[in-house]
């Protein structure tokens, strides 16, 4: 409960609490992480106007397959832009 109070600001006593600490596991993102990612994405868009993209475990994927999927989607987006530019459509 001390951990919950510190991490999440929980102040009430639970009706039921069962906890298992899993050592050396995949870390959990902190509360508010999605909002932080949205702010970072907006900053990247403002600052680089679409000329910079970010992929990785902390940005859009929790696992190796998730990172691969997002990297592939990004590559397909960039390829579509490149093809559009070479044909004079963009």
């Amino acid at each position: 409960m001390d951990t919950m109070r510190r991490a999440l600001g929980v102040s009430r006593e639970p009706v039921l609490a069962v906890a298992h600490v899993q050592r050396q596991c995949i870390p959990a993102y902190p509360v508010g992480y999605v909002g932080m990612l949205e702010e970072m994405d907006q900053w990247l868009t403002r600052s680089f106007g679409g000329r910079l993209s970010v992929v990785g475990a902390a940005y859009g994927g929790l696992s190796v397959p998730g990172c691969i999927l997002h990297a592939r989607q990004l590559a397909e987006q960039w390829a579509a832009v490149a093809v559009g530019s070479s044909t004079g459509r963009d």
Side-chain angles (χ1 to χ4, degrees), residues 63-89:
S63 61
V64 172
C67 292
I68 292 169
L69 173 65
H70 289 106
R72 181 182 180 134
Q73 290 170 339
L74 180 60
E76 289 171 350
Q77 290 172 5
W78 280 96
V81 168
V83 169
S85 295
S86 67
T87 60
R89 291 184 296 187

Side-chain angles (χ1 to χ4, degrees), residues 44-58:
L44 286 169
T45 300
R46 282 192 317 271
S47 299
F48 296 96
R51 297 182 316 272
L52 176 68
S53 298
V54 178
V55 294

Side-chain angles (χ1 to χ4, degrees), residues 2-23:
D2 288 339
T3 300
M4 295 294 287
R5 284 185 190 93
R6 284 193 311 272
L8 302 175
V10 173
S11 59
R12 295 175 53 189
E13 288 299 314
V15 173
L16 173 69
V18 178
H20 300 279
V21 176
Q22 303 294 326
R23 304 272 180 221

Side-chain angles (χ1 to χ4, degrees), residues 17-38:
V18 178
H20 300 279
V21 176
Q22 303 294 326
R23 304 272 180 221
Q24 299 180 352
C25 289
I26 297 172
Y29 295 118
V31 173
Y33 188 74
V34 171
M36 292 174 5
L37 284 180
E38 290 170 354

